Amino acid sequence: MNISGNTIFIPGSTSGIGLALAQRLQAEGNTVVIGGRRTELLEKLAAEHGFDTVRIDTADAGSIRTAAAEVLRQHPDLNVVIAMAGIMRVEDWHHADGFLASAEEVVTTNVLGPIRLIAAFVEHLRTRPDATIVTVSSGLAFAPLAVTPSYNASKAAIHMLSESVRLQLADTPVRVVELVPPSVRTALLPGQEESEFAMPLDEFADEVISLLASEPDAKEIQVERVKFLRYGEVRGDYDQVVATLNAADPHGK
């Protein structure tokens, strides 16, 4: 992915990692369109930062179709989509009422959302030079946090989806890049913004932009902090990684 000169749509970018990356990508010389559910917040961010905006609920198939049509109408040169939106829930799987509704919401947002986003944009992206789909998985796709089973599974699904779609689109101009965050200080879970275990948001976003600039052909964007989780099985210390993760961070990402 080229670091500048793109037109980028980032649904799920009104806060946290999405907003931090939107600001930095705009500063690198990209046109950035941010998406979210709250119209008043979108208007505020547009006034403060000069973003173009579109309302989108990535848990709603109809909203994705409507938003995609609006983005493409306003920005026919769009060449990058970053599927940022996601939710994380603490769940208790001892009883169905402790997890079922939550699990369904997580899968709808974290798995069906990116699938529907790709469906809405892939035909357009195939016509664009330097086109890129950026998916967002997690270190928890590779080592599980006990209290968030559905989130872990949804991000593992995104990892394999990214691997598979990259193979299929190898005969097109569209690149598939997977962003693999560690735990980052955001509001994804209550208390995570103050977590000493989590990586500071600005530090994470700065390292991501640096990696995008220095590794334009990378298939995965991995900050140094996530490699402990990402490569446990490869190193042969997976059980230790899982034990350390769950002892250190009961609410991590």
Side-chain angles (χ1 to χ4, degrees):
M1 174 181 167
N2 294 328
I3 194 63
S4 63
N6 303 291
T7 300
I8 304 173
F9 177 44
I10 316 178
S13 53
T14 55
S15 64
I17 291 173
L19 180 57
L21 292 180
Q23 292 170 319
R24 285 159 176 79
L25 288 167
Q26 184 185 63
E28 292 289 338
N30 299 286
T31 298
V32 178
V33 184
I34 65 171
R37 292 178 298 172
R38 293 178 287 175
T39 303
E40 65 281 1
L41 182 54
L42 290 170
E43 292 173 350
K44 179 175 182 288
L45 292 170
E48 291 178 350
H49 301 287
F51 294 126
D52 287 344
T53 67
V54 63
R55 188 190 179 281
I56 184 170
D57 179 356
T58 57
D60 183 330
S63 177
I64 290 175
R65 289 192 297 269
T66 299
E70 182 178 346
V71 170
L72 293 177
R73 179 178 59 81
Q74 295 183 2
H75 298 280
D77 56 346
L78 179 85
N79 69 310
V80 178
V81 175
I82 303 178
M84 181 60 63
I87 60 173
M88 187 177 192
R89 299 283 187 268
V90 172
E91 299 164 350
D92 180 356
W93 279 58
H94 290 89
H95 307 283
D97 60 1
F99 71 89
L100 183 56
S102 166
E104 290 174 345
E105 291 177 6
V106 168
V107 170
T108 297
T109 301
N110 294 6
V111 181
L112 287 180
I115 289 172
R116 289 164 172 166
L117 282 166
I118 293 171
F121 288 102
V122 66
E123 292 182 14
H124 168 80
L125 292 173
R126 288 177 57 193
T127 71
R128 303 299 304 165
D130 298 320
T132 305
I133 296 168
V134 180
T135 60
V136 182
S137 64
S138 168
L140 298 187
F142 306 96
L145 186 65
V147 297
T148 57
S150 298
Y151 181 86
N152 307 340
S154 73
K155 293 304 184 177
I158 291 300
H159 170 66
M160 192 50 64
L161 181 72
S162 305
E163 293 280 290
S164 305
V165 174
R166 184 182 300 118
L167 292 173
Q168 284 209 17
L169 297 183
D171 61 347
T172 77
V174 183
R175 298 176 182 174
V176 178
V177 178
E178 179 184 349
L179 175 61
V180 190
S183 179
V184 178
R185 292 180 194 172
T186 70
L188 192 64
L189 279 181
Q192 190 164 317
E193 288 177 289
E194 293 79 37
S195 170
E196 290 299 320
F197 180 86
M199 186 174 185
L201 176 58
D202 285 340
E203 181 182 329
F204 170 76
D206 288 343
E207 189 172 348
V208 168
I209 294 299
S210 176
L211 289 169
L212 287 172
S214 63
E215 302 176 16
D217 296 322
K219 296 177 181 178
E220 288 187 30
I221 300 298
Q222 307 166 6
V223 299
E224 197 63 32
R225 287 273 289 268
V226 83
K227 293 179 182 178
F228 173 71
L229 301 177
R230 174 67 177 87
Y231 294 112
E233 283 193 299
V234 175
R235 292 189 306 266
D237 60 356
Y238 175 81
D239 289 344
Q240 181 181 345
V241 168
V242 173
T244 302
L245 168 68
N246 284 278
D249 185 23
H251 300 298
K253 178 175 180 289

